[in-house]
Amino acid sequence: MAAPPLDSGTVTRQGRWLSRIGNLRRAPVTVGFVLVFWAAGALSSSLITGPAGTLRPNVAATAHSLPGHWWALLTSGVWAQNLAGYLLGSAVVLVVGLALESRMGSLRFATAALGSQVLGISAALGFLTVAQQVMGTWTQEMSGHIFLGPSALMTGAVMAGSAMMPTLWRRRVRLVVFALLVLLALYSGGFADLVRLGAAGAGALLGPVLHGRGPRFVRPVSSRHEGRVLIALLVAVSAIGPVVAGLTPHAAGPLSVLRFLFTNIQPVDPATLQSLCADPGQAKECAGAQLQLRAGAGGIFMAILPSFLLVLLADGLRRGRRFAWAAAVLIQLGLSVLAGITIAGVLYPAAPDTAAVEGIGAIETAGYTHPLALVLPLLLPVVLTIVLLISRGLFPVAAPAGTYRQLAARTGAAAAVLSAIYLAAGTVLADGFTPGPGPGELLADIPDRFLPLGYMLDLAPAFFPQSTPAVLLYEGIGVTFWTVTAVLVLKTFLHPAPTQHNAGTDRAREILKTQQGSTLSWMTTWPGNTYWFSSTGESFIAYRVIAGIALTLGVPVGPRPQSKAAFEEFTRFCTRQGWTPCYYSVPQELRDHASSLGWDSVQVAQETILELDAVSFRGKKFQDIRTAMNNAAKAGISAEWTTYATAPFSVLAQIQEISEEWVADKKMPEMGFTLGGLDELIDPDVRLLLAIDSTHTVHAVASWLPVYNNGTIEGWTLDFMRRRRTGFRAGIEFLIASAALSLKDQGYRFISLSGGPLARLNADAPPRPTPAGPQTSGSLDRLLSWLGATLEPIYGFRSLLAFKAKFQPRYEPLYMLYPDAAALPAIANAITRAYLPTINLGESLTLARRILRRPTRSRPAGRRPTTPDRPGAHDRVPAINLPAPTPPAGSRSGQHPGQIPYRQPPSRPGTPGKNKE
């Protein structure tokens, strides 16, 4: 008799079980360790309370394990301290092992885990030996600590496995893990914390070695956005650490002393409390100690208020907000002052008969082998203040005008209302306080309700709450006020930043949209530019002054007949200001006019332009383009228009991830000036074209800047382009070709693929001298050609120009104009600082070393180039539907299509199969 058929639910459940069994089979080391872990605990009767008796010192790692109990470096990972340790340890091993072992290989995974455990414990023991001379108290407390469990094994495995990850995710994983472990080691300071930190460091070193390459010790390069995230994380960790130390019993870390600065958590010893309350003369001190002993959530919240505010401001720092930066600097300066007072108290202690103080003055120096062990940690707020001041340029984002006046008014109103409530309710509940306060005492106590208990003042309160309603009132006023304030401050961080960069931006945008400019003119709206307006008010020039050089961008924007007059008028303006003008990336027409006035010039870029009326991508020379579009169609990838403001959050997160990965793969910082980044995508007039598949994964992204001519958009300029590392390889070719076809259908005249700095066609050919100064310009041309070849391995400008040659564009030279060759060194400095505004000394030296090396010969423009972009990390997001963006002002089409399918162009008559691939 045939068996009855299985329903779909049964089949699905069986499939899930088979999949889980398959995962276990691919991780034999993980499964084997879990079995040994529980077997060792069961056979030694250690599952409930951990190893006991003589077994414990023989299997647990301690500060004295070497050399007598060397085997504890291995055995400590096979036992746990209690049943919770076994359960949690098994869960961690299964999660990490199942995720990593199949990817790393069983042998590499086991080697990484065991090697990290052994090296981590050894590193912790070595550190304690060295630190004993300075941090005697800390190392003495370590003598009673033990380490048991698989946490170091798995920490090392995770860090070793991160070597296989893409650059950005590798950096993120290591940053998060190290930040957490360093926080625990510095503030909590247990022996287990040191072991895990050592294992993480060992795993990070072992990972590359196990994958056949040596570890690299280079300074990671971050974009502006990631730099903000790193600073925000630093501030947040520095704020959370003291709270961890304050709430951890017997915290012994070297920075645990900072809890006296960041918090007001003062554990009260019961014996001390009994002695205080036994003395009638210390009634207030007794009541204050009782209050500290029984302080609930409200008291703890008010005690950690500085840390709470710093964590709150860290979110603003992550968003680049200038207000968050200024507030964080003020708090760190205040803590630095407190640190100075404390250090003075340590170095110059008060006389023995001086009255004892509380709070930060209660720090005991007894047990510290050397005063530096106490003084150096207290300098952390000073260091953080310096870091914030140095990184000021990362936080330029301002809220709309009036935002913080409104914030001050609302917080002031909240404080007034809560003060009135406290005064009225306190009068009603006077019997619930000891002693009962009158209206005057309640009024005098109001400021203390908004500050931590006794913070900085070290004065005993005049009265204390006893009844539950009184306690809720006493502690709730401050909690309510700061909660409301936090919500209001977070809302200011969410307010969109004003679009204008200075007072002339709106006026310049109006001229730009109604008059004439160049294909690069939209870049004049980017941050960093200042605007000069002609005497007629119809033209403007965007410039930035760097070390006495007024560096402009593109041609004067305005009526074309007034261009030459604006050029001469701006030159006179610069002369009156004592600046040397330098016109950057201007076309042949303006160069010829400047030459007639005695100016010198040099070609600095080659612009590539596609006339859309002739675009069809037919013929053999476009075979690569057609291949890219056909392969995209086969992979289910389409091109979709959107803007940064209308794109879903999941898409924005992917764009940011792709960009961060691209920057992380670079060995030099992200460039600016004529090269836009993530911040320039926010402009609502800038359009984004995405290569996105059916699972809504973004494979590549490109941004397009509008080119206006007398009130209408006649073309678009390519700016930002990035491709996902594991995404569609020909993503950029696909996006440019799709944009050309789409914009042609919408009625636009041309697209500019932008200029390639330090790149030109036939770069190896001798340059053509300019009429104005053949000797100077010829030498400078040769210098720029050499510099372009030297920087090619770093930034790939020539490869980018060769890549654009696939589209058979029209080439237009772009020039730099300067009045005096003697100013060339200052001009070179100004251009370098414009393109690399965030470069530091270390990166400058790295760049100098690369320039001084012998450059490799660049690829000729005629050869087939590879895609110029560096890939990003792979990620998937839930399914979304991108709406078609609305047409921009002045566009010639009625509607932008949300999706651009590719249609194979027909073969030309007489050449059957010519386009067939």
Side-chain angles (χ1 to χ4, degrees), residues 57 60-70 125 128 132 139-140 142-145 191:
T62 68
H64 308 291
S65 292
L66 293 180
H69 294 80
W70 57 268
L125 296 177
L128 290 177
Q132 187 173 7
T139 55
Q140 289 172 13
M142 291 294 175
S143 61
H145 292 195
F191 180 66

Side-chain angles (χ1 to χ4, degrees), residues 365-603:
T365 59
Y368 285 90
T369 306
H370 196 283
L372 289 178
L374 178 63
V375 171
L376 290 180
L378 293 174
L379 295 178
L380 179 62
V382 180
V383 174
L384 290 175
T385 302
I386 295 174
V387 170
L388 286 169
L389 291 175
I390 293 175
S391 59
R392 178 179 181 273
L394 294 176
F395 311 101
V397 183
T403 297
Y404 293 110
R405 287 195 300 270
Q406 189 178 42
L407 173 65
R410 289 181 175 180
T411 54
V417 170
L418 289 171
S419 299
I421 292 174
Y422 179 70
L423 185 61
T427 302
V428 175
L429 300 174
D431 294 339
F433 293 88
T434 302
E441 288 84 355
L442 288 170
L443 187 62
D445 188 61
I446 286 178
D448 286 346
R449 296 308 95 228
F450 300 99
L451 296 173
L453 301 177
Y455 196 80
M456 295 187 296
L457 300 177
D458 294 328
L459 299 175
F463 51 89
F464 307 94
Q466 295 293 334
S467 66
T468 300
V471 170
L472 293 176
L473 177 66
Y474 193 79
E475 296 183 357
I477 291 295
V479 174
T480 303
F481 172 76
W482 288 111
T483 301
V484 171
T485 300
V487 172
L488 294 176
V489 170
L490 287 176
K491 284 185 176 181
T492 67
F493 295 156
L494 299 177
H495 287 177
T499 55
Q500 66 270 17
H501 308 301
N502 58 50
T505 304
D506 290 339
R507 183 180 174 189
R509 276 180 177 259
E510 182 64 24
I511 294 175
L512 180 59
K513 290 183 177 182
T514 56
Q515 299 295 337
Q516 294 174 299
S518 69
T519 55
L520 304 182
S521 292
W522 196 262
M523 298 177 184
T524 62
T525 65
W526 291 354
N529 290 312
T530 304
Y531 301 100
W532 169 88
F533 295 93
S534 65
S535 57
T536 64
E538 297 180 334
S539 301
F540 77 87
I541 292 177
Y543 68 98
R544 60 189 70 197
V545 178
I546 302 176
I549 302 297
L551 184 64
T552 75
L553 177 56
V555 298
V557 179
R560 190 61 51 86
Q562 298 182 16
S563 178
K564 296 178 182 178
F567 173 89
E568 297 174 13
E569 187 179 351
F570 179 74
T571 300
R572 293 192 296 270
F573 166 75
C574 292
T575 302
R576 291 194 301 269
Q577 301 296 325
W579 303 332
T580 299
C582 175
Y583 291 83
Y584 193 81
S585 291
V586 300
Q588 181 77 35
E589 180 182 0
L590 190 60
R591 169 199 178 251
D592 293 341
H593 174 69
S595 296
S596 67
L597 300 177
W599 285 50
D600 287 329
S601 64
V602 63
Q603 184 178 338

